Amino acid sequence: MRYTEIGGRKVSALCLGAMKFGSQTGDAESAALLDRFLEAGGTFIDTADCYQYWVDGFEGHESETFLGRWRRERGITDEAVIATKVGAQPTVPGGGPEAWEGLSEQAVTTAVERSRRRLGVDRIDLLYTHKEDPNTPLEETMAAFARLVDEGAVDQLGMSNHRTWRLERARAALQAHGHRVTVLQYRYSYLQPRHEVQLESNAFTHVTPDLLDYVASENAAGRDLAVVAYTSLLGGAYTRPERTDRLGPAYDHPGTRNRMAALDAVARDTGATRNQVVLSWLIGGGIVPVVGVSEPGQLDEAVEATDLELTPEQREVLDGAH
């Protein structure tokens, strides 16, 4: 397993997504996957307080609730860094984005208390804003986040799915309170969409060149900022043609075909799978990929990818495909 740092804390360079744990993936299977991840050296786990309210039969707390139970049963303390998100839990049963709690001071405070209780922790390792809340001033949200850090309820702060100008406004707001965002989470993978075209879900916000430039600028200024990538394997699109077709119009351009050809060339050269090359490409570029798995073989494939280091020539082949 390879490792990296977020906000000065060492974590595995691969993050295990727990979105379906305790819901679509049963408790026994979920626990076995988490155990296997830790045994392989994994330490970074991702969830949210709303996973998976949109699936029939579930309310949105199932992932956090399961992780808390797993921690208690296994006696897990600081062996695992668990990141969660707030702001996208509906306030009414059956509600969607129109009913999200949002990021007001009261909503954030209440959500964090619920998450701490479910996870069974005094302090949340990493807390993200899940999605932009246009109805709440960003300064109010950041003041609430800063207070939670001061009170010891949260360790590190992150933001997900926010436009770059809002990140800069958040940085300024947090700086006034003596704190900063250390992690960003966005959709990112090797295949690149056309940014002017809507992704298959409006809940996704993709990494843009402007965002990468912002991150590079922050890091150059000594304000270390990590990027975590969700949907890093595009829901199986690299290995299942029917999933590729479902990516939608944003990926329907020559660059997708050219990049798939480059990916196959590097996979042949390394003897690795497409998925492993994609994960290695992300990790080698300083990105922490989140992977969602439902069976041991998928987890093993992802873990093994952390040992694959692409040569400069192989990265040039991948980066040069447009």
Side-chain angles (χ1 to χ4, degrees):
M1 177 65 69
R2 226 184 303 185
Y3 296 89
T4 187
E5 286 191 358
I6 56 170
R9 186 168 183 178
K10 180 181 177 182
V11 297
S12 55
L14 184 72
C15 182
L16 182 61
M19 182 173 71
K20 296 183 179 182
F21 289 178
S23 56
Q24 288 175 299
T25 303
D27 286 8
E29 295 82 2
S30 300
L33 289 167
L34 284 161
D35 293 344
R36 196 179 188 99
F37 183 61
L38 261 63
E39 289 167 5
T43 64
F44 196 9
I45 299 167
D46 182 80
T47 187
D49 70 348
C50 64
Y51 290 161
Q52 304 190 86
Y53 76 80
W54 56 90
V55 177
D56 288 344
F58 301 112
E59 298 176 358
H61 60 80
E62 287 79 13
S63 177
E64 284 189 337
T65 299
F66 169 77
L67 286 172
R69 187 163 60 248
W70 170 76
R71 288 184 72 257
R72 290 191 299 273
E73 292 174 353
R74 298 298 193 268
I76 298 295
T77 55
D78 58 0
E79 298 95 323
V81 174
I82 298 179
T84 193
K85 313 174 196 72
V86 295
Q89 172 70 10
T91 56
V92 295
E98 77 287 346
W100 281 351
E101 288 179 327
L103 296 169
S104 69
E105 179 180 9
Q106 181 176 351
V108 168
T109 301
T110 302
V112 166
E113 185 55 37
R114 286 196 311 252
S115 293
R116 290 169 64 199
R117 184 174 64 252
R118 291 169 185 158
L119 293 170
V121 298
D122 293 326
R123 183 172 65 177
I124 292 172
D125 295 318
L126 170 59
L127 180 70
Y128 294 102
T129 53
H130 203 157
K131 192 75 177 170
E132 290 186 4
D133 176 8
N135 298 315
T136 301
L138 195 57
E139 291 75 10
E140 177 182 339
T141 303
M142 293 300 104
F145 268 41
R147 177 178 51 78
L148 289 164
V149 175
D150 289 337
E151 293 173 352
V154 173
D155 184 17
Q156 295 194 47
L157 302 175
M159 298 183 72
S160 180
N161 298 311
H162 282 60
R163 286 166 289 177
T164 306
W165 69 266
R166 293 181 71 86
L167 296 179
E168 174 57 20
R169 179 171 290 179
R171 186 195 67 77
L174 276 170
Q175 186 177 27
H177 295 280
H179 296 292
R180 64 187 180 89
V181 167
T182 57
V183 190
L184 305 178
Q185 185 174 139
Y186 288 75
R187 174 162 165 156
Y188 195 51
S189 188
Y190 176 59
L191 292 185
Q192 300 291 296
R194 291 181 291 164
H195 295 295
E196 74 277 10
V197 178
Q198 175 63 52
L199 295 171
E200 65 270 27
S201 170
N202 59 13
F204 299 141
T205 302
H206 200 279
V207 165
T208 62
D210 186 51
L211 179 70
L212 292 177
D213 184 64
Y214 178 78
V215 171
S217 176
E218 288 293 282
N219 288 334
R223 296 186 288 266
D224 293 344
L225 191 56
V227 177
V228 173
Y230 65 80
T231 318
S232 62
L233 295 176
L234 295 177
Y238 292 107
T239 56
R240 300 171 62 179
E242 72 276 13
R243 296 288 180 89
T244 308
D245 294 340
R246 283 165 50 187
L247 289 176
Y251 290 88
D252 187 12
H253 58 85
T256 294
R257 295 182 288 276
N258 294 338
R259 286 210 152 195
M260 287 294 262
L263 187 58
D264 283 336
V266 174
R268 286 193 299 269
D269 194 34
T270 59
T273 66
R274 282 179 174 178
N275 284 344
Q276 288 173 329
V277 173
V278 170
L279 293 175
S280 180
W281 179 80
L282 288 166
I283 293 170
I287 308 294
V288 179
V290 179
V291 292
V293 301
S294 58
E295 57 186 50
Q298 295 172 342
L299 178 60
D300 292 345
E301 179 187 30
V303 168
E304 290 167 7
T306 67
D307 294 325
L308 173 63
E309 293 197 35
L310 301 174
T311 66
E313 292 77 17
Q314 290 164 343
R315 292 194 68 87
E316 185 177 350
V317 169
L318 294 169
D319 293 340
H322 299 288

